[in-house]
Amino acid sequence: MSIPFISDAPRARTAADAPGWDAVLAATVVHVGRTVVVLRTSGGLLVPVTSAAHGLVPGGVCLADDSGLDRARTTPVGNRLDRGQWATPLRRAVRVDLTVRRAAVDAAAAHALAAGAAVTDGGGPLGPGPARSGARVLVDAAGADDAWGVRRVLHGLIGVGPGSTPSGDDVVVGALAGLDRRSDDASARAGAAIRRALPGLLDRTTSLSQHDLRAALEGQVAERVHRLVEATADVRLVAAVLREARCWGATSGLDLAAGVAAGARGPASVRRRPAQARVDLRRTA
């Protein structure tokens, strides 16, 4: 599925897995941020309400314009959104499936995305560099069906980093999305290996990041991540999406990009395959 550009949507949009509009209106505000207001339903589900500039996220609602989020941000924590103000736009909202679909990946584009997300200044032990480097290690361990290795790498990623969505978590979300984009069986097996190990580690991180990781376990990611995933098909898209990603939170955009790139390049067994195929062709020439 091709995710529409954010500016193309005149109405509010809801993720296909989001609660119905009546449940959203009955939910209480648990967090008010600059670009997101997070609600919690009576059943404990988080519903991120985002601005048009931020885009839609799994389980969430994306308002048609930024002024809508400004109004939502005036709701105090512990209160509900005003039904009279929000019932009509939520009832008319367009539902969007945020599932990552298999499609062609261009190796040059995935490599360019990885290079653009790399940390060049070191960043120190608390910077995003170790987490971004861990993306490739995670994918290779999963591709080798190394259950212990996958768990070890995830243990060093989940919950690691500052903010409501730590760098390590963003890397894992991106890696799953990149693997889901590929159409080969080896990448599917690698994604499955990560999905077997990840649920037991979710309590190591924040509630909002748990929300994103659970969605990624189901193959669903935010529109922003879809933009990174789609760039792996065409190297000409990479520079623009990296410029955008640098503005997504303190480090989240490039953390996600590093994960997507690692997943889209596939595990080591897949990355070696094209070179071997060229050798075989020369031998038969």
Side-chain angles (χ1 to χ4, degrees):
M1 169 183 176
S2 178
I3 300 297
F5 287 110
I6 293 169
S7 59
D8 292 340
R11 293 193 289 172
R13 291 170 297 138
T14 62
D17 62 333
W21 65 271
D22 51 343
V24 173
L25 289 174
T28 56
V29 175
V30 294
H31 172 76
V32 177
R34 185 172 59 86
T35 61
V36 61
V37 173
V38 183
L39 312 176
R40 189 187 301 275
T41 68
S42 59
L45 295 176
L46 294 186
V47 183
V49 181
T50 53
S51 65
H54 188 288
L56 186 63
V57 303
V61 177
C62 181
L63 302 175
D65 55 64
D66 291 350
S67 63
L69 185 72
D70 291 339
R71 293 194 300 273
R73 292 177 67 244
T74 65
T75 307
V77 171
N79 288 20
R80 300 174 180 177
L81 297 179
D82 180 79
R83 177 173 286 268
Q85 185 177 36
W86 294 103
T88 297
L90 289 177
R91 189 168 54 244
R92 296 180 62 246
V94 178
R95 296 189 79 82
V96 178
D97 184 358
L98 293 173
T99 303
V100 177
R101 305 296 181 188
R102 289 186 171 190
V105 171
D106 178 71
H111 179 80
L113 190 66
V119 175
T120 57
D121 59 1
L126 298 180
R132 294 181 195 172
S133 299
R136 183 79 166 266
V137 181
L138 174 64
V139 169
D140 285 349
D145 199 22
D146 178 1
W148 183 86
V150 169
R151 185 172 178 82
R152 177 181 59 80
V153 178
L154 286 174
H155 198 274
L157 290 174
I158 300 301
V160 175
S164 57
T165 57
S167 289
D169 299 1
D170 287 329
V171 163
V172 174
V173 168
L176 284 170
L179 287 168
D180 288 346
R181 185 65 162 183
R182 296 183 59 88
S183 57
D184 56 280
D185 292 341
S187 295
R189 289 193 296 271
I194 296 172
R195 288 180 164 97
R196 285 193 294 271
L198 181 55
L201 299 172
L202 291 179
D203 61 358
R204 295 170 53 87
T205 191
T206 66
S207 58
L208 189 57
S209 201
Q210 287 182 38
H211 175 88
D212 292 345
L213 288 163
R214 287 193 177 100
L217 284 170
E218 300 298 323
Q220 299 176 45
V221 295
E223 283 183 319
R224 285 178 164 182
V225 185
H226 276 275
R227 293 180 74 94
L228 292 167
V229 169
E230 289 175 356
T232 65
D234 188 343
V235 71
R236 294 170 296 181
L237 302 177
V238 172
V241 79
L242 282 171
R243 283 195 298 272
E244 294 177 17
R246 291 187 182 97
C247 301
W248 301 344
T251 65
S252 282
L254 294 184
D255 297 337
L256 288 164
V260 168
R265 295 173 77 182
S269 59
V270 173
R271 294 197 301 273
R272 286 195 295 265
R273 199 170 297 156
Q276 183 64 47
R278 285 194 293 272
V279 171
D280 291 344
L281 287 173
R282 285 197 295 270
R283 287 175 178 170
T284 60

